[in-house]
């Protein structure tokens, strides 16, 4: 199974943000979250164990689906919080409009994906999220970001250079561009939460 040490380190700080921003789910309706680029699936397992009334829909590109499904099959039913469940993963490449589920979701969550995706895919992630969110729904994007070309830490600048040396299409994304894209798709900025290790969670709300 895929295992991400970073997921283990960042899951508690992310959980604290989810507790604050996702209204407490009350069965039977609860809270529905679509996760984009779930990777190892560790976040979905942990958050459905910690938050009640949460239906978490993991997803990833076809190439990453097998190890993700394996974790969900092995750990998805381990001690979920009351009324919470981790669903089998969907195949979702953000650039494929037809692959997006219908929604509506209360939130879309994506961690450490924007700097891996090409800029066109980041735009597709934001557009697709806006389509599947219900009015008042939230897009939460976790990772390192820069502001108007300025990195918030030397380590993020080095990470950005490293990514671009591996593939010029990758790179730490700029909040100015992200806010511009979000605004074009009816998403209003609600918060920019500082996280450990120079990461952040950007939160937008789908206008009604
Ligand atoms: C660095 S991993 C992050 C995984 C996990 N979210 C985490 O925080 O550990 C980046 C993820 O983005 C996914 N990804 C990359 N391009 C994508 C695309 N175009 N559509 C959907 N997912 C994509 C990859 O398959 C991978 O699972």
């Amino acid at each position: 199974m895929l295992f991400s040490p970073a997921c283990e380190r960042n899951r508690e700080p992310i959980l604290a943000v989810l507790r604050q921003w996702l209204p407490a789910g009350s069965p039977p309706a609860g809270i529905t979250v679509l996760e984009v680029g779930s990777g190892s699936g560790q976040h979905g397992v942990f958050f459905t164990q910690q938050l009640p009334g949460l239906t978490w829909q993991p997803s990833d590109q076809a190439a990453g689906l097998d190890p993700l499904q394996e974790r969900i099959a092995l750990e998805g039913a381990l001690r979920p919080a009351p009324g919470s469940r981790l669903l089998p993963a969907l195949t979702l490449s953000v650039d494929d409009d037809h692959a997006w589920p219908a929604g509506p979701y209360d939130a879309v969550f994506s961690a450490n994906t924007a700097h891996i995706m090409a800029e066109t895919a980041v735009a597709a992630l934001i557009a697709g999220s806006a389509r599947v969110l219900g009015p008042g729904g939230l897009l939460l994007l976790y990772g390192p970001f820069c502001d108007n070309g300025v990195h918030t830490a030397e380590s993020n600048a080095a990470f950005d250079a490293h990514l671009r040396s591996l593939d010029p299409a990758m790179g730490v994304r700029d909040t100015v561009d992200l806010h511009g894209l979000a605004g074009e798709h009816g998403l209003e900025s609600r918060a920019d939460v500082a996280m450990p290790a120079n990461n952040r969670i950007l939160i937008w709300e789908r206008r009604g």
Side-chain angles (χ1 to χ4, degrees), residues 39-134:
S40 67
Q42 288 159 258
H43 279 144
V45 170
F46 183 65
F47 298 145
T48 49
Q49 288 173 344
Q50 300 296 318
L51 297 170
L54 181 66
T55 298
W56 191 272
Q57 175 63 74
S59 73
D60 214 316
Q61 304 180 104
L65 219 64
D66 285 352
L68 175 57
Q69 297 290 35
E70 191 184 348
R71 179 177 300 280
I72 293 166
L74 286 172
E75 299 182 358
L78 287 181
R79 302 179 306 280
S84 289
R85 58 201 179 119
L86 182 63
L87 300 178
L90 292 178
T91 305
L92 173 59
S93 180
V94 292
D95 347 53
D96 179 358
D97 284 357
H98 302 292
W100 283 82
Y105 290 93
D106 296 306
V108 175
F109 171 83
S110 196
N112 292 314
T113 50
H115 56 269
I116 301 295
M117 295 177 181
E119 281 180 9
T120 50
V122 175
L125 166 61
I126 291 175
S129 299
R131 278 197 308 276
V132 303
L133 284 172

